[in-house]
Amino acid sequence: MKFVLDAEQRLFAETLHTLLADAGTAPAVRAWAAGDAKPGRALWSALADAGVFALAVPEAHGGAGTLPVELVCAAEQLGRHAVPGPYVETLAAAELLGRLGDVPLAATWLPRIAAGDALVSLALPPAVPYALDGDVADLVLTADDSVREAAVRGGTPSLDPARRLLPVVPGEALATGTGEATAAAYDLGALVCAAQQFGLGRALLDVSVEYAKTRRQFGRPIGEFQAVKHHLAGVLVELEFTRPLLFGAALSYRTPDFSRDVSAAKAAASAASYTAARVALQVHGAIGYTDEYDPSLWIRKARALYAAWGSPAVHRARVVDALSAR
């Protein structure tokens, strides 16, 4: 089967890429890491105006209905530009709230999510008891067999300074009997995270290739050395094998195979983006470690996302379990 994005989907992705490239996200990432969310909130509003959050909100609450292919396109650009903030968590929370039915919690927050007026952080198994960027979120939820509004406390260091993990304290249940809704939110969050990792890996590959063209050793660009070519080609192969898994998972949304396909995509995306980060560091050398050098922001995020929403081992086990059940 050949899968090709249609013209509208390609235009949507290109529009987001142009928006974020023109904005220049590196200063916003550094500001977010320093505790200044204002530049990041400006990006959040711009992406909301472009329709990113509406992609996970039911039409009855002001959204476009869940459009998984478009979500993958959007998340790829979020990763490509290392945009800070709880995007994955907010989109997963929209999926969770949308599956609760006509309850006050959904009616209150889904329109705000669609409009970009609310940052939502979400702690789901196996990520509990931590929420991402809960200190800047307008709403923090925990969910398992019930959905609870939570408070955050303290703070936990992250490998990515722009990702702040905070322990949560669950409050009283706001909705019950939501085990299936929680599972669906987890799967959508893992898919969006995988797409973000794919975009991150592509960005790291692109910057590494460009650097290899200009960095010279022994009178030649290092990109002419076979060992460097092989490393970069290996990254490209891993990323290209990840792409069909991502869109295949998106196409299986709301089918019995969705969880399995999401896990296959997430395991591949984690491995590919981590390889891209490792090779980027090798190609750039010591400069890749420096805080002042923008690619270091992407490298750190790739390592932090490796285990976010489930490590490769967790997702490979889910794939094996799904295949064994058949």
Side-chain angles (χ1 to χ4, degrees):
M1 180 181 72
K2 183 178 181 180
F3 178 83
V4 179
L5 295 174
D6 64 31
E8 289 187 2
Q9 291 164 338
R10 291 195 301 272
L11 178 60
F12 177 59
E14 291 166 3
T15 299
L16 295 181
H17 171 58
T18 301
L19 184 159
L20 294 171
D22 290 345
T25 54
V29 174
R30 290 190 173 94
W32 196 280
D36 178 10
K38 186 175 180 180
R41 289 296 295 249
L43 288 174
W44 188 282
S45 296
L47 290 166
D49 291 342
V52 170
F53 300 106
L55 298 174
V57 174
E59 292 182 51
H61 294 286
T66 305
L67 300 174
V69 173
E70 285 76 4
L71 276 173
V72 168
C73 293
E76 179 183 345
Q77 297 306 319
L78 295 176
R80 184 174 181 179
H81 296 276
V83 182
Y87 285 86
V88 176
E89 289 70 23
T90 298
L91 292 167
E95 177 76 356
L96 173 68
L97 295 172
R99 297 213 180 214
L100 294 181
D102 187 17
V103 299
L105 185 65
T108 299
W109 287 99
L110 282 173
R112 293 189 61 188
I113 291 173
D117 292 336
L119 280 74
V120 181
S121 195
L122 179 66
L124 293 178
V128 173
Y130 295 104
L132 175 67
D133 291 323
D135 55 344
V136 296
D138 301 296
L139 175 69
V140 180
L141 294 174
T142 62
D144 194 348
D145 57 351
S146 63
V147 178
R148 301 170 185 267
E149 187 170 353
V152 296
R153 61 184 178 187
T156 302
S158 171
L159 294 168
D160 174 10
R163 285 174 58 85
R164 290 170 295 174
L165 300 172
L166 296 105
V168 297
V169 182
E172 294 185 4
L174 301 175
T176 58
T178 60
E180 291 184 4
T182 300
Y186 179 80
D187 286 338
L188 188 73
L191 176 64
V192 175
C193 183
Q196 188 180 26
Q197 290 175 289
F198 176 76
L200 190 66
R202 287 295 319 193
L204 285 168
L205 176 60
D206 290 345
V207 74
S208 299
V209 169
E210 289 304 312
Y211 186 79
K213 292 178 181 177
T214 58
R215 176 73 168 91
R216 300 179 70 86
Q217 284 186 342
F218 307 110
R220 300 166 59 190
I222 62 172
E224 292 184 6
F225 298 123
Q226 192 172 33
V228 175
K229 290 180 180 179
H230 283 182
H231 280 306
L232 294 171
V235 174
L236 178 61
V237 169
E238 284 197 48
L239 289 168
E240 287 305 302
F241 273 106
T242 299
R243 182 189 292 273
L245 293 175
L246 280 171
F247 286 106
L251 290 174
S252 70
Y253 178 69
R254 287 190 179 271
T255 73
D257 293 332
F258 184 54
S259 294
R260 179 203 66 191
D261 293 348
V262 165
S263 285
K266 182 63 172 68
S270 291
S273 63
Y274 185 77
T275 299
R278 177 176 53 79
V279 170
L281 194 55
Q282 290 175 328
V283 169
H284 285 85
I287 193 175
Y289 287 101
T290 61
D291 289 339
E292 297 79 10
Y293 192 52
D294 288 352
S296 68
L297 305 175
W298 276 248
I299 291 171
R300 291 174 180 178
K301 187 173 288 292
R303 182 60 186 90
L305 291 179
Y306 182 80
W309 292 87
S311 67
V314 167
H315 285 287
R316 284 194 293 267
R318 291 181 88 205
V319 173
V320 170
D321 288 345
L323 294 175
S324 298
R326 284 193 165 188

